[in-house]
Amino acid sequence: MAKVKTSFFCQNCGTQYPKWQGQCYSCREWNTIVEELIQKEEKPAWRASSAEPKRASKPLRINEIDTAAEQRMDTGDAELNRVLGGGLVPGSLTLLGGEPGIGKSTLLLQISLKLPYRTLYVSGEESQKQIKMRAERITGAADNCFILTETKTQNIFKQIEATTPEVVIIDSIQTLHSDYIESSAGSISQIRETTAELIKFAKESNVPVILIGHITKDGSIAGPKILEHMVDTVLQFEGDRNHVYRILRSLKNRFGSTAELGIYEMLGSGLREVANPSEILISHKEEELSGTAIATTLEGMRPLMVEIQALVSSAVYGTPQRSTTGYNAKRLNMILAVLEKRAGFRLGAKDVFLNITGGINVDDPAIDLAVVAAILSSNEDIPVNKDFCFAGEIGLSGEIRPVNRVEQRILEAEKLGFSTIFVSKYNKISLKDTLIDIKLVAKIEDVAGHLFG
């Protein structure tokens, strides 16, 4: 009988210790270190019966390496393809995280029903009948999709050898357990071991694997931090369960950009791809109201038009409030200081509330000019023309600084029917014969003169 081996792991960050202690030296959390059984058999979990023996790697000169693009697998979902960088890479491991009930399982089940490849959907949380009921609600049955309800990795690999899928989806990694680790499912040891087995399977069989991962209360993916380092791609599914829109972001991608964004709308029949996100990020109202301005921003290669809403009112209490939603609060304080010092607007004794509609967070400094326009519009109680939009960064001396890829922003504004766009006069613009009027401004006073003069 094998000797029982144990070790101590931090349940917060996954750091291993030889004995118990009160505080984790890595993440500085208290009372998170627990003892886990780690006795492991020598027998490997994944053993492909038809796999050829691997040849030893040899070094190549860099100019001898074949740079031909690897063929990607089309998921049938344009938003997911964009976030992944063009589709699934064979042999890759993708981790999808998100809050409970946000739609992770719905998204991957919907994709597995669309895929033209033989797909094995493994669920450790729902029965086959439950998944079938959801599939009928989403899009109906598909001949290429196989449903398996199992949590033991040894049984999963047996079914993989029997069905030979081209894509494997695991829902979720926290429910899997291996016989070679004698600890409960969801523990640090089990998550690390089952993920390692799936990585070995994906790399040896060249089959892409997609994992669903739970997240903790602070928004990070549950389990050891090493889990995110082991996989090739980490996707985050965001959104408010009280709203219908969902945002898919890439936090890590070895095969593409991490700046891309996918937007979905949650309907009774599943998730709908939003091809033109500017429509949902701009409010539709019949009358013009003060305190709103339209900004042009970029998420990866995709230009978006977002609405900035500001409310400026007299401070009821002694200390003025500064509150933001979707925008950096420190940057708002900087812009208010610039307006006070450089442009002469007295906002120090007023409450300022700022909101970006649609529930998205924007880090692009090019929306600074729209933030200024919305704040001044609310302060003066004069609405900004709904056909105006803005693209400019505010400097500490009150100047309007140029932004990158301004021509792409201008063309997006023109396509959506805006009549005028305000940009920095220091931007180099080579566009000709545009229908949109391009206003070149150098300082905040120039913008205020155009809007309220």
Side-chain angles (χ1 to χ4, degrees):
M1 184 174 178
K3 183 181 177 181
V4 176
K5 293 183 180 180
T6 64
S7 189
F8 294 86
F9 294 93
C10 173
Q11 298 297 297
N12 185 54
C13 66
T15 304
Q16 185 175 359
Y17 294 93
K19 62 181 181 178
W20 184 89
Q21 58 190 49
Q23 186 186 29
C24 173
Y25 294 147
S26 179
C27 64
R28 299 297 178 183
E29 292 291 329
W30 287 90
N31 299 322
T32 58
I33 298 175
V34 298
E35 184 178 16
E36 293 183 6
L37 297 170
I38 59 169
Q39 177 63 39
K40 183 176 178 181
E41 299 179 23
E42 296 299 324
K43 180 181 175 182
W46 162 250
R47 179 176 293 171
S49 56
S50 60
E52 298 180 359
K54 295 177 68 175
R55 296 180 179 177
S57 299
K58 294 182 179 180
L60 294 175
R61 290 189 180 90
I62 191 166
N63 55 7
E64 296 176 348
I65 299 174
D66 185 12
T67 57
E70 188 169 8
Q71 188 68 30
R72 291 179 181 257
M73 303 170 71
D74 184 10
T75 64
D77 187 302
E79 298 296 305
L80 181 60
N81 283 344
R82 178 188 294 109
V83 175
L84 290 173
L88 283 172
V89 175
S92 65
L93 206 74
T94 302
L95 178 63
L96 174 65
E99 293 183 358
I102 204 70
K104 304 183 296 296
S105 301
T106 301
L107 174 64
L108 291 188
L109 179 60
Q110 185 172 305
I111 290 168
S112 64
L113 295 172
K114 288 182 183 178
L115 281 170
Y117 310 100
R118 180 186 290 261
T119 305
L120 179 63
Y121 186 97
V122 182
S123 176
E125 300 179 343
E126 296 177 292
S127 66
Q128 291 174 321
K129 290 183 179 180
Q130 287 177 305
I131 297 172
K132 175 64 184 299
M133 290 170 61
R134 185 192 296 167
E136 290 178 343
R137 175 172 58 86
I138 294 174
T139 183
D143 294 336
N144 291 326
C145 183
F146 294 83
I147 306 297
L148 173 65
T149 55
E150 182 59 67
T151 57
K152 186 187 293 188
T153 56
Q154 286 71 34
N155 294 342
I156 292 172
F157 289 132
K158 288 179 183 178
Q159 297 303 321
I160 285 175
E161 289 191 7
T163 56
T164 61
E166 297 173 272
V167 178
V168 175
I169 297 174
I170 306 292
D171 181 12
S172 63
I173 187 62
Q174 277 80 10
T175 62
L176 297 190
H177 68 93
S178 171
D179 282 344
Y180 309 134
I181 295 290
E182 297 179 5
S183 58
S184 59
S187 64
I188 299 293
S189 302
Q190 285 288 4
I191 292 176
R192 185 159 47 193
E193 174 63 23
T194 53
T195 304
E197 292 176 4
L198 290 167
I199 289 175
K200 185 177 181 183
F201 157 72
K203 302 305 179 185
E204 291 183 359
S205 63
N206 211 33
V207 172
V209 178
I210 305 177
L211 310 176
I212 291 179
H214 298 165
I215 66 169
T216 59
K217 60 183 180 181
D218 62 350
S220 59
I221 294 175
K225 193 66 179 176
I226 194 174
L227 176 63
E228 297 181 36
H229 296 289
M230 293 168 73
V231 300
D232 298 309
T233 307
V234 179
L235 305 180
Q236 185 83 7
F237 207 36
E238 304 172 354
D240 189 343
R241 281 180 290 176
N242 299 320
H243 292 78
V244 296
Y245 299 112
R246 305 285 188 268
I247 297 171
L248 184 66
R249 296 181 185 272
S250 175
L251 304 182
K252 170 190 175 182
N253 193 351
R254 288 175 179 163
F255 312 111
S257 170
T258 57
E260 295 296 342
L261 185 78
I263 299 181
Y264 295 87
E265 181 181 7
M266 177 64 83
L267 304 174
S269 58
L271 290 159
R272 181 184 72 87
E273 304 167 39
V274 178
N276 185 10
S278 299
E279 294 179 357
I280 69 169
L281 298 175
I282 298 176
S283 303
H284 300 282
K285 48 187 179 294
E286 296 180 356
E287 58 180 341
E288 292 187 354
L289 302 173
S290 64
T292 63
I294 308 299
T296 65
T297 182
L298 292 171
E299 286 287 350
M301 298 299 294
R302 166 187 269 188
L304 302 176
M305 310 296 289
V306 296
E307 180 176 323
I308 312 295
Q309 296 179 338
L311 178 62
V312 180
S313 61
S314 299
V316 179
Y317 306 101
T319 303
Q321 299 183 67
R322 304 284 189 259
S323 177
T324 64
T325 303
Y327 188 71
N328 191 314
K330 292 182 179 179
R331 194 162 188 86
L332 173 63
N333 291 329
M334 184 201 77
I335 289 176
L336 293 175
V338 171
L339 288 173
E340 183 98 16
K341 177 76 174 178
R342 303 296 185 186
F345 293 97
R346 302 302 175 193
L347 301 171
K350 295 187 177 181
D351 293 337
V352 179
F353 304 92
L354 193 73
N355 176 47
I356 297 179
T357 60
I360 70 169
N361 294 302
V362 180
D363 297 326
D364 187 2
I367 71 171
D368 288 352
L369 190 54
V371 170
V372 167
I375 291 172
L376 297 183
S377 171
S378 179
N379 186 52
E380 301 291 334
D381 201 20
I382 300 175
V384 176
N385 191 319
K386 62 181 180 180
D387 292 329
F388 289 0
C389 60
F390 305 85
E393 180 184 352
I394 303 298
L396 289 179
S397 61
E399 82 278 13
I400 312 298
R401 304 188 71 248
V403 296
N404 63 335
R405 289 159 55 191
V406 66
E407 295 183 354
Q408 189 175 353
R409 302 173 193 263
I410 293 172
L411 293 175
E412 176 70 9
E414 182 181 16
K415 184 177 73 174
L416 293 176
F418 288 91
S419 64
T420 305
I421 183 170
F422 289 80
V423 299
S424 171
K425 69 178 293 184
Y426 307 110
N427 266 117
K428 296 179 181 179
I429 303 172
S430 59
L431 292 175
K432 296 180 180 179
D433 301 326
T434 55
L435 299 177
I436 190 171
D437 183 19
I438 303 173
K439 295 283 188 184
L440 301 177
V441 289
K443 292 187 176 181
I444 293 176
E445 297 91 312
D446 300 340
V447 180
H450 281 293
L451 297 178
F452 315 115

